[in-house]
Amino acid sequence: MEKIVSLCKRRGFVYPGSEIYGGLQGFYDFGPLGVEMKNNLKRLWWDWMTKEHDNIVGIDGAIITNPKVWEASGHVKSFVDPLVECKKCHHRFKADDMEGDKCPDCKGQLTEPKVFNILVPTQLGVVEGEKTSAYLRGEACQTIYLDYKNVSDTTRLKIPFGICQIGKAFRNEVTPGNFLFRQREFEQWDLQWFCHPDEMEKSFEYWKEERMNWYKSIFTHPENLGFYKHEKLAHYAKRAFDIEYTASPVGKEMEGIHWRGDWDLSGHSKYSGQDLSYTDPETNQKFIPNIVETSGGVDRAFLFLLLDAYAEEGERVVLKLNPKIAPYKVAVFPLLKNKPQLVELARKIYGDLRKDFATAWDDRGNVGKRYYAQDEIGTPFCVTVDFDSLEDKAVTVRDRDTMKQERVKIDEIKNYLENKLGL
């Protein structure tokens, strides 16, 4: 983990939030490479959900909702943790995790447990004393339930159908830490699958396996993924499984598959006074749709993909990322940066390739160091323009994982990369 944190800072994947002011625990910024990788990951998920499955559409819900939403969802009452605080160092801990009355950090005396709600409060309005209290959303899925009726009416989708979303969520975590694993501001990707109560068993098993297969398709070592069955269930759940990255040196949970039943729509129907039932157009049967939820952490998936791809092979560090996720797909080098003919040809190839691929340019140091620099950020292929290129109109293409080199005609590079990258 220390090596991944160092690599992320050094190479521009992830920076500590507000670092020049000493940082703020639980907040991180994604740098130039990190934002490219994260966007690739989110686009892959979004396309898989909306293009490779029937009856799934997306929304982008608001971060702040009517505060009654969190009463209806049960978060105001149940999204709480009893905490104890050390009287000496003032560190806080979950009471359920403590044994005895001494601080694990400094051995100071602990206070009696106090209730702590991890929803992040905010206020709306401009006049002091007249502001309205609200919350930043503690989970992204609630806006899907709020928009369920609108989506159903405007798209004419029939049960079963799904609504998906990628969005920010905020929690006053008691113990943020372990880098991106536990943050106070993070991103989630959610699918809420609405179905008939009689179809819940089939739908639950389908999405459980479907989501695991998707993760296995993007991880370098899919054998490191597994299921964890929850015995202690949330207030809304009948069954729950986590998809875990079992090789993680910190927490393992990456995505939850939850049997939510009719809890959410029934609760919002009751609190809002709106009828959120569904009438089957063929049978005329009226019912509250049941929900299978697949809710994962984008940042956690990002972290686990880096951990899983990281390898040290002799003197080189390499991220063997899935090419679809890698920040750059290809890097272009002139063999020597002080030879105008090589630079001119390399620049032309670079300009042509970047129209179709995320392409890096590198002319620093010798070619060997450039290869190793690109290996460290996960670039699958490197293209080198040498003196022979001026004569045979071909370049040397090096594979990140095998380090094998191949001569490819300049006018065939695009097709070569498309085939190799599987794009």
Side-chain angles (χ1 to χ4, degrees), residues 65-111:
T65 59
N66 188 306
K68 291 182 180 179
V69 169
W70 303 103
E71 294 179 29
S73 67
H75 284 79
V76 172
K77 287 186 178 180
S78 63
F79 221 45
V80 296
D81 281 313
L83 298 184
V84 292
E85 182 175 332
C86 176
K87 295 179 181 178
K88 184 178 179 181
C89 69
H90 300 289
H91 290 177
R92 289 176 174 174
F93 308 92
K94 291 184 179 180
D96 294 343
D97 296 338
M98 294 294 100
E99 294 182 6
D101 59 358
K102 298 296 183 183
C103 172
D105 291 343
C106 73
K107 307 304 179 185
Q109 187 71 29
L110 297 175
T111 65

Side-chain angles (χ1 to χ4, degrees), residues 44 87 93 98 145 180 196 253 269 286 291 366 402:
L44 202 61
K87 295 179 181 178
F93 308 92
M98 294 294 100
Y145 310 140
L180 300 178
H196 190 282
E253 176 192 352
S269 182
K286 187 176 181 179
I291 295 171
N366 62 51
T402 65

